[in-house]
Amino acid sequence: MSVKEIIDRCEEIFEDLNFTYAREWKVAEDGRKVVGYMPVYVPNEIIHAAGMLPIGILGGGDAMEVIHGDAYYQSYICRIPRSTVELGIMKNLDFVDGMLFPSICDVIRNLSGVWKLLFPEVYARYFDTPQNFRSDIGGEFYKNDLQELREGLEKLGGREITDDDLRNSIQVYNENRDWVRKVYQFRSDQPWKVPASEVYLLMRAGEILTPEDHTQMMKDYLAAVENEERRMKDNCRVVLNGSFCEQPPLGLVKSIELAGCYVVDDDYMMINRMITEDIPTDGDPLLNLSEAFLKHSLDLASKFEPSEEKKGKFIVELVRARGAEGVIFSAPSFCDPALLDQPMLAHVLDDANIPYISFQYAENSGQMQPIREQAGTFADSIKLWSAA
Amino acid sequence: MSNDNNPEVKKDTSMLKQKEMIAGNYEKLTNAKELGLKTSSTFVPGNLNELTRCFDIVNNLPEINALGNAMRKQSGAMISDAEKMGHSEDVCTYVKADIGMMAKGNIAPNGKPMPNPDMLLLSYTGCYTFLKWFELLREQYKCPTVMLHVPYQGDGKGQITQSMRDYVVKQIKEEVIPTMEQVSGVKFDIDKLRELMRNSAKAEDNLVWVLQSAKKKPSPIDGYFGAVYYIGPIFSAFRGTTDAVEFYDLLRGEIQERTDKGLGPVTPDGEMGKEKYRLVTEGPPNWTNFREFWKMFYDEGAVCVASSYSKVGGVYDYDGFRHDPENPIESLAEYCLGCYTNRNLPERTKMMADYIEDYEADGLLINSIKSCNSFAAGELLMLREVENLTGKPGAFIETDLVDPRYFSPANVKNRLESYFQMIEQKRQAA
Ligand code: SF4
Ligand code: SF4
């Protein structure tokens, strides 16, 4: 398949708010179930081990008109809960058998209750991750939490989830994460070959496709893009931070690049990158999932950093590892976790002499011009600065 | 919670006592160095006041400083300072008021600067913003910061699982207590904790009695605006003290007297007129225009008989929780897990509907706070559900806690007036 064919397919999946792929997957065999999850992270391995399809619900984007959702959310709350409620009310999600709401902020947390009230027939679970990272404290709690999720899904699916099922799914996702890392590495090595919008669409597709299909797609993409003739531009290299939940419109992802920035790392799709190392496939699978989160997961605004010295340092390390020249903070309006984290990250960047800019967006932002101008000025100033 | 600008006009003995207690705590805080005392900052929901006191650590509550500064009309400038320092307009204004206060030298209400805290106790209960708030403070103070992660009651049904309880207990035993021992140099004494918790339970009994006195008609108290003053000691630095026990004894006596005389609530303008409307309220009050806001209610004869805000630092009435000296650590865990905003939306909704029934209220009024996703996200659905469950009309107003830019008196007054009319119409139709 050519790059164009793959990306066209991704775009089709991205634009399809009716989730045809997932619907078709569901009816292809009797008894199949689909479980939706909100950003940022849930252990997809358990859903997969239950024989179910996990799909990411990331709001309605800029194509959907929100009519009902606004009656559920005040104007000073971000957009993702209202467009997600809209998807629910408009029956776009009527095939979804379960919904998981990760512990990321009070909005998603309360949305778990909204879902229970609006759709009582759907299995809706608030999914907690620990803020204590000791195996014997946070780990114990988290293992129980994972076990409760496992039991909930067993009930929903009407079948047991064995340890071997889990081990097998861990293996599937290890491979998936490995290819995700390869894509990111490839982009960092040759960003002119892999535009940010393509990586974005490729990763968005991973929120809908089975992990097996998604892994294959990434393999195909990397094979195809190797041979693509794409011209290297005089762009600066930036890391993007703050977009881990409500997503910017695709136009914004493209605008940053058009303005002269190669995005060499980002936090758009955390789910397939949250765990940074292979999870062991032997031993107790829930213990392994738990330890992976405690010991090998990315830093994120909604995760407590126990050490003051380490707070925010990840961004400097990322900038260095990717050979980036600056950081773009790009966060949804009204997003407490991203916006309150930002000043601390900015201080760390100041100390390391790394330039940054910031802007806010909403999933339905229409006007890209100001953002393009801001990013363009930033790129120019970085070039001037490095030339000096 | 109360401060110098106490909303009530007539100084009851209990009120004078509370004033003294608060002033005393600020004195202790601002003189901590000279007195050789250690200080800790923490949050109202899930605060471990009895435990902190076991180590002679003085408690500072930034939320209360923020609301106090708002009542003294100082928070606006503090928020704008924080915004100038790079904080977004969109985020929780409590955090910005606190950061702005820090930038202005952390001056306590007694005019003296507060010392930098010796520790931050991040009681992570019912609000995600707490996490960012204390990371921001830690950046400045560089002091030991202990996270007490209290899992959310996501699956509700009043369920606290054994795993949640064990998780909190273990953190208290293995993270919180050792940090407090280290910071204070005092060895943990469980018997002291038991003794303090015995005091807590006594005060809690009386607090519940006072709050439930609003079931009477007319209600002798206002369970929202007035309750700010009733919950003051128990939600702040005094739970577990003999002072708090005395305060609630006095308060109960005073309310008993009002009930015996068939009196309504006391307001900043004196006795309230005839009780015309009984409301249940959801959400914190606005602090920048507290009196003006309250006046819009009592001028119309509206009394708030029950509120969710008076449960923010502990729900003692709804399911009868008391601190239990026999199982002190477990009971602290239970307390943290049970705070109002740590309960999920369906349960909060049911609680509001139950209050309407139990207090024979006319309906639910939601004061939705721009800053506060913890309360506000989902409130519009809550309103609708409570209306369906009770058949009583509800109303929705929007203000902010401590940002004066978001209090629009004309809008709020209009909304309230049409709500009262709606209640009248409903009565006539019945
Ligand atoms: S965009 Fe931010 S505030 Fe909104 S739901 Fe996501 S994390 Fe929460
Ligand atoms: S979001 Fe609400 S509960 Fe949390 S700190 Fe702000 S005002 Fe308090």
Side-chain angles (χ1 to χ4, degrees):
Chain A
M1 271 207 282
S2 72
V3 169
K4 182 166 182 328
E5 280 167 327
I6 295 168
I7 297 303
D8 283 352
R9 172 77 185 118
C10 291
E11 197 152 1
E12 201 183 309
I13 295 169
F14 166 73
E15 282 169 359
D16 178 14
L17 290 179
N18 208 32
F19 305 98
T20 312
Y21 172 93
R23 286 177 189 272
E24 285 174 359
W25 179 89
K26 182 171 168 168
V27 296
E29 261 178 49
D30 271 358
R32 277 186 166 178
K33 299 253 188 298
V34 175
V35 173
Y37 58 84
M38 299 287 298
V40 170
Y41 172 75
V42 295
N44 270 339
E45 288 87 344
I46 302 183
I47 307 172
H48 183 265
M52 301 177 188
L53 176 66
I55 63 167
I57 307 296
L58 294 150
D62 59 350
M64 190 177 74
E65 196 187 352
V66 171
I67 299 161
H68 306 89
D70 283 339
Y72 291 86
Y73 286 95
Q74 302 90 312
S75 56
Y76 41 79
I77 292 176
C78 59
R79 296 234 8 131
I80 184 167
R82 74 191 72 222
S83 59
T84 304
V85 163
E86 185 83 15
L87 287 171
I89 291 177
M90 294 309 287
K91 305 212 179 304
N92 299 43
L93 299 176
D94 56 359
F95 66 102
V96 173
D97 306 281
M99 276 289 277
L100 301 180
F101 300 87
S103 50
I104 158 173
C105 77
D106 294 320
V107 176
I108 301 269
R109 182 195 78 176
N110 290 6
L111 185 58
S112 71
V114 167
W115 219 262
K116 282 174 197 282
L117 289 170
L118 284 179
F119 310 105
E121 70 288 355
V122 174
Y123 167 79
R125 185 178 170 82
Y126 166 77
F127 180 74
D128 218 347
T129 38
Q131 299 285 3
N132 174 295
F133 303 101
R134 267 173 62 175
S135 302
D136 58 336
I137 303 180
E140 265 309 301
F141 166 72
Y142 190 41
K143 245 178 60 191
N144 293 330
D145 202 27
L146 294 173
Q147 178 61 22
E148 281 173 29
L149 175 62
R150 176 191 199 164
E151 286 163 13
L153 293 178
E154 283 178 338
K155 218 167 134 212
L156 180 66
R159 77 163 172 86
E160 197 195 346
I161 303 171
T162 66
D163 281 359
D164 278 337
D165 293 334
L166 286 165
R167 289 184 191 112
N168 171 52
S169 298
I170 288 174
Q171 180 49 44
V172 168
Y173 278 97
N174 277 344
E175 199 194 354
N176 185 261
R177 283 186 286 262
D178 188 38
W179 281 91
V180 169
R181 283 193 288 271
K182 285 186 174 128
V183 171
Y184 271 79
Q185 188 57 47
F186 189 93
R187 175 174 69 170
S188 176
D189 294 342
Q190 302 178 59
W192 57 93
K193 280 207 165 172
V194 185
S197 56
E198 290 188 2
V199 174
Y200 181 76
L201 288 167
L202 199 55
M203 296 306 155
R204 274 296 291 254
E207 303 268 328
I208 298 295
L209 301 178
T210 62
E212 295 87 349
D213 281 359
H214 183 230
T215 301
Q216 188 57 49
M217 186 181 243
M218 289 188 286
K219 289 179 185 171
D220 293 344
Y221 176 79
L222 282 185
V225 92
E226 282 278 6
N227 307 318
E228 217 44 27
E229 277 301 320
R230 284 175 165 171
R231 204 163 48 84
M232 191 173 160
K233 290 189 202 135
D234 181 26
N235 280 6
C236 68
R237 299 167 64 91
V238 299
V239 162
L240 187 129
N241 176 274
S243 307
F244 47 81
C245 181
E246 179 177 321
Q247 296 294 296
L250 188 59
L252 193 152
V253 178
K254 289 180 178 163
S255 285
I256 295 173
E257 206 151 65
L258 288 172
C261 301
Y262 283 135
V263 177
V264 290
D265 213 313
D266 62 62
D267 60 0
Y268 291 128
M269 263 351 94
M270 291 297 281
I271 181 122
N272 54 25
R273 313 186 64 208
M274 192 68 189
I275 304 298
T276 54
E277 290 186 12
D278 276 358
I279 303 176
T281 45
D282 54 353
D284 177 352
L286 293 189
L287 177 68
N288 294 343
L289 282 169
S290 164
E291 285 292 301
F293 181 83
L294 296 180
K295 309 277 154 54
H296 307 291
S297 60
L298 290 175
D299 285 333
L300 187 77
S302 55
K303 245 176 88 186
F304 179 57
E305 170 52 71
S307 148
E308 157 61 13
E309 287 78 47
K310 285 199 197 135
K311 175 67 206 176
K313 291 280 159 34
F314 78 92
I315 190 116
V316 173
E317 285 158 18
L318 191 59
V319 165
R320 303 244 154 93
R322 294 296 192 204
E325 297 152 288
V327 170
I328 293 183
F329 290 114
S330 156
S333 296
F334 305 108
C335 178
D336 263 32
L339 294 169
L340 284 165
D341 210 37
Q342 214 178 86
M344 289 181 276
L345 300 185
H347 294 157
V348 175
L349 292 174
D350 284 336
D351 290 345
N353 261 323
I354 297 167
Y356 54 86
I357 50 161
S358 70
F359 50 76
Q360 287 174 219
Y361 62 83
E363 62 179 12
N364 64 341
S365 293
Q367 263 297 340
M368 290 307 142
Q369 195 53 28
I371 286 172
R372 200 185 290 186
E373 276 167 18
Q374 209 186 335
T377 314
F378 184 57
D380 290 344
S381 72
I382 284 178
K383 276 178 230 156
L384 272 174
W385 192 68
S386 52
Chain B
M1 277 126 276
S2 194
N3 76 350
D4 292 351
N5 260 355
N6 209 294
E8 306 212 355
V9 106
K10 187 176 136 245
K11 298 276 182 257
D12 284 326
T13 323
S14 69
M15 189 176 297
L16 296 171
K17 166 122 190 121
Q18 176 166 170
K19 250 189 118 158
E20 241 170 61
M21 287 158 73
I22 291 171
N25 196 58
Y26 275 119
E27 278 300 307
K28 258 189 174 174
L29 273 170
T30 49
N31 295 325
K33 287 253 146 48
E34 297 80 76
L35 298 169
L37 293 169
K38 300 288 179 193
T39 67
S40 151
S41 289
T42 198
F43 296 106
V44 169
N47 77 74
L48 302 178
N49 201 52
E50 297 88 348
L51 194 63
T52 316
R53 286 200 170 250
C54 283
F55 300 92
D56 297 325
I57 296 174
V58 195
N59 238 345
N60 175 34
L61 296 125
E63 289 159 296
I64 301 207
N65 299 335
L67 76 86
N69 285 327
M71 285 175 131
R72 285 186 294 275
K73 309 274 180 214
Q74 293 171 350
S75 56
M78 291 169 174
I79 291 166
S80 84
D81 278 0
E83 287 175 3
K84 276 181 217 137
M85 287 156 68
H87 287 271
S88 162
E89 246 186 65
D90 286 357
V91 299
C92 168
T93 49
Y94 261 16
V95 181
K96 286 185 285 184
D98 192 34
I99 304 246
M101 178 181 174
M102 191 155 67
K104 287 192 188 307
N106 257 339
I107 306 299
N110 61 7
K112 299 180 198 168
M114 301 235 239
N116 289 354
D118 297 293
M119 73 173 278
L120 298 169
L121 172 56
L122 206 178
S123 65
Y124 191 56
T125 304
C127 167
Y128 282 84
T129 297
F130 288 166
L131 164 57
K132 294 291 104 185
W133 188 344
F134 270 21
E135 279 186 347
L136 283 158
L137 291 195
R138 180 182 64 180
E139 198 189 30
Q140 299 300 317
Y141 297 130
K142 312 259 185 249
C143 62
T145 302
V146 59
M147 154 64 88
L148 175 64
H149 176 201
V150 177
Y152 181 60
Q153 288 194 42
D155 278 336
K157 299 173 226 97
Q159 265 182 11
I160 295 173
T161 64
Q162 194 55 40
S163 168
M164 291 176 178
R165 209 175 280 121
D166 290 348
Y167 178 40
V168 181
V169 165
K170 264 199 221 162
Q171 290 176 83
I172 295 176
K173 284 188 178 158
E174 295 184 37
E175 304 272 6
V176 179
I177 291 177
T179 310
M180 288 183 169
E181 283 184 327
Q182 203 192 4
V183 166
S184 66
V186 175
K187 189 109 199 70
F188 175 56
D189 173 359
I190 197 156
D191 290 324
K192 189 166 178 193
L193 180 62
R194 289 184 208 277
E195 192 188 312
L196 289 160
M197 286 174 88
R198 234 165 259 131
N199 289 338
S200 302
K202 276 188 218 158
E204 286 155 5
D205 279 343
N206 281 336
L207 169 72
V208 169
W209 185 92
V210 167
L211 293 176
Q212 291 185 336
S213 71
K215 288 185 182 174
K216 301 227 161 50
K217 284 183 179 175
S219 166
I221 63 158
D222 185 284
Y224 183 45
F225 298 103
V228 164
Y229 153 73
Y230 307 137
I231 58 182
I234 223 162
F235 281 10
S236 61
F238 305 101
R239 208 183 56 224
T241 63
T242 48
D243 268 340
V245 174
E246 276 173 38
F247 170 84
Y248 285 99
D249 273 342
L250 280 172
L251 181 66
R252 181 171 174 163
E254 288 161 9
I255 304 299
Q256 182 68 58
E257 218 181 300
R258 301 194 67 75
T259 318
D260 293 345
K261 292 183 184 155
L263 294 173
V266 182
T267 76
D269 291 330
E271 297 288 332
M272 193 180 111
K274 190 173 161 3
E275 174 183 298
K276 281 171 42 198
Y277 310 107
R278 297 167 65 84
L279 308 177
V280 170
T281 53
E282 146 76 10
N286 157 276
W287 302 112
T288 56
N289 300 62
F290 186 84
R291 283 188 178 205
E292 188 184 355
F293 190 28
W294 189 358
K295 192 169 161 50
M296 291 176 192
F297 290 72
Y298 62 72
D299 276 355
E300 299 286 336
V303 57
C304 303
V305 286
S307 66
S308 59
Y309 186 67
S310 59
K311 314 296 144 60
V312 75
V315 176
Y316 299 105
D317 61 339
Y318 193 66
D319 32 29
F321 169 82
R322 294 290 178 276
H323 281 87
D324 173 11
E326 300 312 314
N327 300 293
I329 310 270
E330 291 72 14
S331 148
L332 281 176
E334 196 92 13
Y335 156 74
C336 294
L337 285 156
C339 286
Y340 177 71
T341 48
N342 205 48
R343 298 173 186 231
N344 76 1
L345 200 72
E347 209 194 328
R348 281 171 53 194
T349 302
K350 172 143 192 331
M351 205 165 157
M352 293 304 104
D354 288 347
Y355 281 152
I356 290 176
E357 300 295 333
D358 293 351
Y359 288 75
E360 296 181 59
D362 294 297
L364 178 69
L365 173 83
I366 296 185
N367 180 34
S368 181
I369 297 293
K370 177 188 178 280
S371 276
C372 183
N373 286 340
S374 174
F375 269 97
E379 276 177 339
L380 282 162
L381 178 61
M382 178 197 265
L383 183 72
R384 223 180 289 178
E385 291 283 317
V386 171
E387 284 180 337
N388 287 342
L389 286 167
T390 61
K392 306 263 170 73
F396 203 84
I397 50 180
E398 298 178 332
T399 70
D400 190 56
L401 290 162
V402 293
D403 192 335
R405 291 172 295 188
Y406 298 103
F407 188 81
S408 156
N411 281 348
V412 174
K413 203 164 181 338
N414 267 341
R415 278 302 295 135
L416 284 174
E417 279 169 4
S418 34
Y419 183 41
F420 298 139
Q421 275 171 19
M422 196 164 34
I423 294 175
E424 285 294 352
Q425 280 165 9
K426 188 101 185 168
R427 278 184 189 160
Q428 273 154 22

